[in-house]
Amino acid sequence: RKEVEQDPGPFNVPEGATVAFNCTYSNSASQSFFWYRQDCRKEPKLLMSVYSSGNEDGRFTAQLNRASQYISLLIRDSKLSDSATYLCVVNIGTNAGKSTFGDGTTLTVKP
Amino acid sequence: GAGVSQSPSNKVTEKGKDVELRCDPISGHTALYWYRQSLGQGLEFLIYFQGNSAPDKSGLPSDRFSAERTGGSVSTLTIQRTQQEDSAVYLCASSSNRRSSPLHFGNGTRLTVT
């Protein structure tokens, strides 16, 4: 079993739709959680950190469920520019820990 | 520089040759990672350096791959006797030692083995 698992998709949604991705992790010692975005043929870039109480950044909402060991990303009012691969990242251990990436979920937003 | 710097950005080499890829992390970042990504695939972890600790080499695919990090800063990934299946984008990332510190990626080196 992979340490971090994501539904690879693809998710194909119309503009304006709301879409949610989940990511499960296996190590209960995981301490920090992030969502990254990767555009085609580009490097991954931090989208947002995920805090225990959940957090929101504009149209994006991230949540953490420690009991069930998953994190989620909700995108409201999808834009064409949201089309990308979304990577879930989990840090295991103290301090910065070691970052482990999921394989990503591909989102295509269509007009 | 403000970000993670990788060089070269592109490298074409003949099968059997050795290549060296360089990563210059953000100043002060103690953690440094190398990943490999083939077209349409996810990130494949290669190696992780954290401060003065022994590196985590568990992702290196074969003994043809090695990496060093000198003085806790610049890192070099070396691939000996390159094979066509080594063709991929090699990404370097660094982070600070603070909890909840995210990774910052370089632009990558696109390696093509002919």
Side-chain angles (χ1 to χ4, degrees), chain A residues 31-32 34 36 38 41-46 49 66 87 89 91 95-103, chain B residues 33 35 37 39 42-43 45 48 50 56 58 91 95-107 110:
Chain A
Q31 299 285 347
S32 306
F34 307 91
Y36 280 70
Q38 186 173 26
R41 302 175 80 86
K42 297 284 190 180
E43 74 277 14
K45 293 187 177 178
L46 178 68
S49 302
R66 285 191 184 272
L87 301 165
V89 182
N91 280 18
N95 296 321
K98 176 185 169 184
S99 293
T100 300
F101 280 74
D103 287 339
Chain B
Y33 298 74
Y35 294 90
Q37 189 170 34
L39 192 62
L43 292 173
F45 167 75
Y48 163 55
Q50 176 58 272
D56 178 346
S58 60
L91 290 161
S95 73
S96 75
N97 197 33
R98 291 194 308 277
R99 186 173 165 176
S100 300
S101 175
L103 293 185
H104 299 262
F105 281 84
N107 292 334
R110 184 174 302 279

Side-chain angles (χ1 to χ4, degrees), chain B residues 9-83:
Chain B
S9 55
N10 282 285
K11 176 72 177 179
V12 180
T13 191
E14 292 180 352
K15 177 182 172 181
K17 300 284 189 184
D18 297 352
V19 294
E20 283 190 353
L21 312 180
R22 176 187 168 107
C23 174
D24 203 338
I26 292 173
S27 178
H29 277 190
T30 57
L32 186 149
Y33 298 74
W34 283 99
Y35 294 90
R36 177 169 74 173
Q37 189 170 34
S38 300
L39 192 62
Q41 303 297 310
L43 292 173
E44 178 186 2
F45 167 75
L46 297 178
I47 188 167
Y48 163 55
F49 296 90
Q50 176 58 272
N52 295 321
S53 303
D56 178 346
K57 303 179 181 181
S58 60
L60 294 178
S62 77
D63 59 7
R64 296 186 296 104
F65 287 74
S66 63
E68 290 185 342
R69 189 177 184 192
T70 53
S73 183
V74 173
S75 177
T76 302
L77 176 69
T78 300
I79 309 173
Q80 295 178 310
R81 305 180 303 281
T82 52
Q83 304 293 315

